[in-house]
Amino acid sequence: MKTKPVLLLAALLWAGSPNGLQAQTQKWQNLFNGKDLQGWKQLNGQAKYEVVNGEIVGTTVSNQPNSFLTTEKNYGDFIMELELFVDDSMNSGVQIRSESKSDYQNGRVHGYQIEIDPSDRKFSGGIYDESRRGWLYPMDINPKGKMAFKNQQWNKYRVECIGNSIRTWVNGIPAANVVDAMTPTGFIALQVHGIGKNDAPGKQIRWKNIRIQTENLKPSKTDQIFVVNLVPNDLSSQEKAEGYSLLWDGKTSKGWKGAYKPGFPQSGWSINNGELSVQKSNGAESTNGGDIVTEKQYGAFELKFDFKLSEGANSGVKYFVTLTEGNKGSAIGPEYQILDDVRHPDAKLGKNGNRTLGSLYDLMTSKKVPNAQRKIGDWNRGLIRVFPDNKIEYWLNGYKILEYTRGSSEFLALVADSKYKDWKDFGMAAKGHILLQDHGDQVSFRSIKLKQL
């Protein structure tokens, strides 16, 4: 079919118009004019900010808290790119969608921070919630992304904030992918990390080519890195593309039943406000509502789950649960321990702490990472990875805390020296149910997601 001349002419005229060009190209705006700090203001600490040779230079000052050079304007949805060169003995970051309010810690800057970390930790490009929730995306969860940052040279950062999606790249390599709805808009800021009175001042970070898009935003194509989704019971488009599905729908008991029961418990569990909760009873194992299990069974998988402890609480997530033992108490299977280590006596039982939070219960002790655990009453993010080769990993809030291989000589020796020694082929089923434990304490779950491997 031939194109009519009038229609073709109209299309060409529209494409050549300002609106047409804007629809076809993404328009960049400079956040820094290369000459002075017009459009920026300083908050909190008194680190030195100046413009030198077309660059913003931030210099540490002794005995000062974190300092922030912030945009005077707020930004919601945007795509930003910038380049930076940092002294490899200092720490810094770029704030996005951030705030400073008189009624919040006396105006302390808080919000999402894109990390600049030249240390051996290699967390550059990760997402930290400054002065609020701490690490949202520590870079241990993305090993390839950890290697993107280059010391002693210019690094290019890209940040995409579109709706609830926050994604970062370092030198073109995907670094972090967070879905969160806490703060939809706020200022952008360049951080100079605070130092003590005895620390040597004068370390510098330099920024240049800071530009932003705010209209006609087109997100980058889907990548393959791990997604931290903080929106309750939500599946992001990338999670769906990676094969995740909701194991619990956030509203009903569909897909779950009581262990050793035909249906879901009539009491002992509640579903309210998107939370699946064990009710407080007498603190005993499976004596109230009892454990609940998935109706389906799973072999190799990746399981994400959020959990919230009450004071002194005990629970767990088990897998490869076959329900063939017919035992009393909690059904049998390997367990990701969920526990208030400070207040529950189980933390001091077992051997070498192998009943503490994140441990392979009664078998192997989890690695204790500083600040990895949220305080009691806050939500934690658990992750269990079961690979087809029987390697298994436990993660807590983005940190790997344990790994083992079921069926290995080490695993079999641990079982032989545990409370499970009399259970034949413990933990070795080809597939099994996933279980949430009733231990008589108030514990809540949400955002339970599974991807089969």
Side-chain angles (χ1 to χ4, degrees):
M1 176 178 166
K2 294 182 179 179
T3 304
K4 294 181 179 181
V6 174
L7 292 177
L8 178 61
L9 178 61
L12 290 172
L13 288 172
W14 182 83
S17 70
N19 287 337
L21 285 173
Q22 193 174 54
Q24 294 182 53
T25 62
Q26 299 171 331
K27 186 176 181 181
W28 290 102
Q29 301 171 349
N30 290 323
L31 277 181
F32 166 51
N33 63 21
K35 301 176 183 179
D36 55 38
L37 298 179
Q38 182 180 354
W40 298 78
K41 63 182 179 181
Q42 188 165 345
L43 293 175
N44 297 171
Q46 297 300 311
K48 184 179 181 181
Y49 291 92
E50 58 187 333
V51 177
V52 180
N53 297 325
E55 303 165 4
I56 296 177
V57 180
T59 306
T60 59
V61 173
S62 294
N63 201 29
Q64 287 294 315
N66 292 344
S67 302
F68 301 91
L69 185 68
T70 77
T71 56
E72 292 177 348
K73 291 177 59 178
N74 283 355
Y75 297 89
D77 287 5
F78 63 86
I79 297 174
M80 179 175 65
E81 293 184 347
L82 55 84
E83 296 175 61
L84 59 93
F85 192 115
V86 63
D87 186 307
D88 62 11
S89 64
M90 68 179 290
N91 178 277
S92 184
V94 177
Q95 298 289 138
I96 58 169
R97 290 181 175 178
S98 294
E99 300 176 308
S100 172
K101 299 179 177 180
S102 59
D103 60 352
Y104 185 89
Q105 298 184 21
N106 296 316
R108 186 173 180 177
V109 169
H110 57 280
Y112 308 108
Q113 180 184 122
I114 315 305
E115 182 74 2
I116 301 169
D117 179 19
S119 75
D120 292 340
R121 185 179 62 171
K122 300 181 185 298
F123 272 16
S124 290
I127 299 178
Y128 181 80
D129 198 357
E130 173 76 14
S131 302
R132 202 161 53 180
R133 292 171 294 177
W135 279 106
L136 305 181
Y137 202 104
M139 289 299 294
D140 284 351
I141 202 71
N142 180 9
K144 183 178 179 181
K146 288 184 74 170
M147 308 309 295
F149 188 89
K150 306 299 180 184
N151 283 3
Q152 292 300 312
Q153 67 183 58
W154 286 96
N155 289 271
K156 185 174 182 178
Y157 275 45
R158 180 181 175 93
V159 182
E160 295 185 5
C161 287
I162 303 175
N164 291 336
S165 174
I166 304 174
R167 301 169 66 190
T168 70
W169 289 258
V170 176
N171 297 321
I173 297 175
N177 190 321
V178 168
V179 181
D180 189 48
M182 180 169 281
T183 311
T185 187
F187 54 68
I188 293 166
L190 309 178
Q191 184 203 51
V192 173
H193 204 281
I195 60 173
K197 63 180 180 181
N198 296 323
D199 295 322
K203 296 175 182 178
Q204 293 186 330
I205 178 168
R206 296 147 58 192
W207 293 276
K208 67 178 183 181
N209 298 330
I210 309 172
R211 62 181 191 168
I212 196 168
Q213 300 171 10
T214 57
E215 297 178 350
N216 303 310
L217 300 178
K218 183 179 180 181
S220 296
K221 65 179 182 179
T222 300
D223 52 58
Q224 299 299 314
I225 66 173
F226 188 84
V227 178
V228 172
N229 191 340
L230 302 171
V231 178
N233 306 312
D234 173 75
L235 280 174
S236 70
S237 58
Q238 181 160 319
E239 286 176 300
K240 292 177 184 177
E242 291 178 353
Y244 282 98
S245 60
L246 285 172
L247 204 57
W248 177 57
D249 63 15
K251 299 175 182 178
T252 71
S253 62
K254 182 180 179 180
W256 293 80
K257 65 176 185 176
Y260 302 124
K261 295 179 181 179
F264 196 83
Q266 295 297 309
S267 62
W269 289 82
S270 66
I271 296 174
N272 289 303
N273 301 317
E275 300 178 13
L276 176 61
S277 301
V278 191
Q279 297 299 293
K280 174 69 175 175
S281 56
N282 59 2
E285 183 178 281
S286 300
T287 58
N288 191 23
D291 301 341
I292 59 173
V293 298
T294 55
E295 292 179 349
K296 294 182 179 180
Q297 298 186 46
Y298 303 93
F301 59 84
E302 187 165 288
L303 176 70
K304 297 180 180 180
F305 56 97
D306 291 358
F307 65 92
K308 180 173 63 174
L309 283 158
S310 60
E311 286 194 2
N314 184 351
S315 184
V317 176
K318 297 184 181 183
Y319 46 101
F320 293 118
V321 175
T322 64
L323 300 177
T324 58
E325 295 83 2
N327 66 302
K328 294 182 179 180
S330 185
I332 300 300
E335 180 178 349
Y336 181 117
Q337 171 77 317
I338 294 175
L339 193 77
D340 179 350
D341 290 345
V342 174
R343 299 172 182 86
H344 197 284
D346 221 27
K348 297 179 176 61
L349 302 178
K351 297 179 181 179
N352 303 316
N354 64 9
R355 296 187 181 185
T356 55
L357 176 68
S359 294
L360 173 60
Y361 177 77
D362 207 53
L363 298 172
M364 184 179 293
T365 306
S366 62
K367 177 183 177 183
K368 305 308 176 188
V369 180
N371 303 316
Q373 181 186 351
R374 304 292 189 246
K375 67 179 184 291
I376 300 300
D378 286 353
W379 287 98
N380 292 268
R381 303 187 311 277
L383 171 66
I384 301 173
R385 282 177 170 159
V386 180
F387 295 95
D389 64 358
N390 286 326
K391 178 183 175 183
I392 298 175
E393 298 176 350
Y394 286 6
W395 293 72
L396 176 64
N397 294 319
Y399 296 94
K400 186 163 70 173
I401 55 174
L402 185 149
E403 65 179 10
Y404 73 99
T405 301
R406 65 181 187 133
S408 66
S409 56
E410 179 188 19
F411 175 75
L412 295 176
L414 290 170
V415 172
D417 194 33
S418 75
K419 65 184 292 184
Y420 301 114
K421 62 182 180 295
D422 295 328
W423 295 106
K424 181 176 170 51
D425 297 327
F426 171 79
M428 294 306 300
K431 60 181 181 178
H433 304 274
I434 292 168
L435 175 151
L436 305 181
Q437 187 185 49
D438 167 20
H439 210 294
D441 296 313
Q442 175 82 26
V443 179
S444 298
F445 299 90
R446 71 180 187 190
S447 299
I448 308 172
K449 308 172 187 180
L450 186 135
K451 174 176 72 171
Q452 299 195 63
L453 301 179

